[in-house]
């Protein structure tokens, strides 16, 4: 299979530490970023951007509907940390997405939904997918942060209610300028994480979080748990207080809120 061919596309305002690899179409920006990291030694800060994806995916392999007009991008990072620490980059990315989208909204509130979605007025507008590879010592060799933002389009039927920047009257509705703003925000959050650790990232994410202190349902692989979203622990796991008085630590699951039930059979955004 032939390698994807980048196109010449500028992104004015992109921080100089990030090198752009732009494409008209890819199967998946994450797959291309992983190929560049694994096979070509792509540097930290390599940014893969495609106008559309033909095989986009979200968490747990769910399809990510990817028409032209939305944002699909993946960053190659070489953080030099353990896999447990690298998982914190989901919260770094979510905070950066919220800082990207909130200033673009004439009205409405942007919030983070555990573990890796961003909501505009309780409707999903962006998602995150982290994938990585370790070295012989078990540390992160490279990590790819994939983001998808509903800029112009959103699915009418989805597992969680969805929306787009355009639908919310966003001040920008073109993927390129939105991507520049995201990378600028990500650079700030990433630098804080590298220099100060997870504590300030956790505190910033909690200020943006949807559902803290209130009732939620957490769907696990084999059951659904109902309780109060009490907190994040020091590693970013969700702490759920059950009616029995037990506190459960949850590292993976899908969160739903009362009154916001699945509205259709579609997957992805």
């Amino acid at each position: 299979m032939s390698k994807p061919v980048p196109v010449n596309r500028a992104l004015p305002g992109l921080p100089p530490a990030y090198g752009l690899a732009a494409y008209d179409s890819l199967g998946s920006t994450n797959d291309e970023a992983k190929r560049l990291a694994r096979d070509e030694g792509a540097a930290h800060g390599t940014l893969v951007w495609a106008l559309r994806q033909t095989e986009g995916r979200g968490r747990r392999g769910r399809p990510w509907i990817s028409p032209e007009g939305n944002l699909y991008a993946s960053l190659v990072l070489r953080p030099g940390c353990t896999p447990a620490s690298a998982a914190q980059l989901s919260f770094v990315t979510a905070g950066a997405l919220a800082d990207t989208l909130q200033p673009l909204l004439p009205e409405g509130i942007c919030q983070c939904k555990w573990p890796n979605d961003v909501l505009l007025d309780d409707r999903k507008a962006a998602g995150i997918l982290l994938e990585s590879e370790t070295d012989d010592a078990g540390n992160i060799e490279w990590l790819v942060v994939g983001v998808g933002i509903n800029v112009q389009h959103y699915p009418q039927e989805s597992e969680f209610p969805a929306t787009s920047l355009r639908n919310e009257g966003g001040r920008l509705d073109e993927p390129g300028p939105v991507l520049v703003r995201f990378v600028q925000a990500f650079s700030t959050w990433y630098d804080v994480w590298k220099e100060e650790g997870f504590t300030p990232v956790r505190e910033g994410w909690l200020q943006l979080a949807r559902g803290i202190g209130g009732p939620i349902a957490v769907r696990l692989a084999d059951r659904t748990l109902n309780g109060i979203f009490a907190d994040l622990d020091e590693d970013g796991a969700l702490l759920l207080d059950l009616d029995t008085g037990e506190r459960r630590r949850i590292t993976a699951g899908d969160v739903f809120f009362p009154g916001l039930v699945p509205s259709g059979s579609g997957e992805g955004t």
Side-chain angles (χ1 to χ4, degrees):
M1 182 180 296
S2 60
K3 294 189 295 185
V5 178
V7 297
N8 185 15
R9 185 175 297 122
L11 276 181
L14 189 71
Y18 294 84
L20 178 64
Y23 303 81
D24 286 334
S25 180
L26 287 173
S28 157
T29 60
N30 258 38
D31 285 348
E32 176 64 2
K34 291 192 296 181
R35 185 190 70 79
L36 292 173
R38 181 186 296 119
D39 300 341
E40 301 189 16
H44 177 93
T46 299
L47 174 64
V48 176
W49 173 36
L51 298 183
R52 57 187 173 274
Q53 297 180 123
T54 58
E55 300 172 16
R57 65 184 186 282
R59 292 173 58 237
R60 302 180 182 178
R62 294 166 177 160
W64 189 274
I65 309 304
S66 306
E68 189 166 340
N70 287 348
L71 174 57
Y72 319 106
S74 300
L75 272 170
V76 176
L77 303 177
R78 297 187 182 272
C81 64
T82 65
S85 294
Q88 299 166 1
L89 288 167
S90 177
F91 298 92
V92 169
T93 308
L97 283 168
D99 280 358
T100 299
L101 299 179
Q102 183 66 70
L104 302 179
L105 300 174
E107 299 179 0
I109 300 298
C110 186
Q111 293 181 296
C112 296
K113 173 178 174 284
W114 189 92
N116 58 4
D117 293 333
V118 175
L119 310 179
L120 303 183
D121 279 348
D122 278 343
R123 290 180 288 179
K124 182 174 174 178
I128 302 160
L129 177 64
L130 269 58
E131 298 182 286
S132 63
E133 196 165 274
T134 56
D135 58 22
D136 293 340
N139 293 317
I140 294 294
E141 177 73 22
W142 50 259
L143 180 141
V144 168
V145 175
V147 296
I149 302 176
N150 295 340
V151 178
Q152 297 180 9
H153 313 289
Y154 66 97
Q156 299 298 315
E157 290 191 351
S158 58
E159 186 178 26
F160 193 91
T163 190
S164 67
L165 268 176
R166 177 173 285 181
N167 189 57
E168 300 297 319
R171 296 185 176 92
L172 283 179
D173 64 358
E174 292 296 331
V178 174
L179 177 55
V180 170
R181 285 173 173 254
F182 165 70
V183 176
Q184 291 170 343
F186 180 87
S187 180
T188 298
W189 278 75
Y190 184 83
D191 287 349
V192 169
W193 176 76
K194 286 291 287 184
E195 294 168 9
E196 303 179 42
F198 186 54
T199 297
V201 171
R202 174 181 171 274
E203 292 172 352
W205 188 92
L206 284 169
Q207 291 177 9
L208 298 164
R210 170 66 165 90
I212 288 287
I216 60 171
V218 184
R219 191 176 65 196
L220 309 177
D222 58 347
R223 72 195 120 163
T224 296
L225 298 176
N226 294 282
I228 300 298
F229 187 174
D231 204 350
L232 290 184
D233 75 1
E234 298 303 319
D235 297 318
L238 185 153
L239 299 180
L240 184 70
D241 287 346
L242 305 180
D243 292 340
T244 60
E246 177 189 1
R247 174 165 287 188
R248 291 288 300 271
R249 180 179 184 273
I250 298 171
T251 58
D254 292 310
V255 170
F256 296 92
F257 307 109
L260 295 176
V261 296
S263 59
S265 59
E267 292 278 5
T269 299

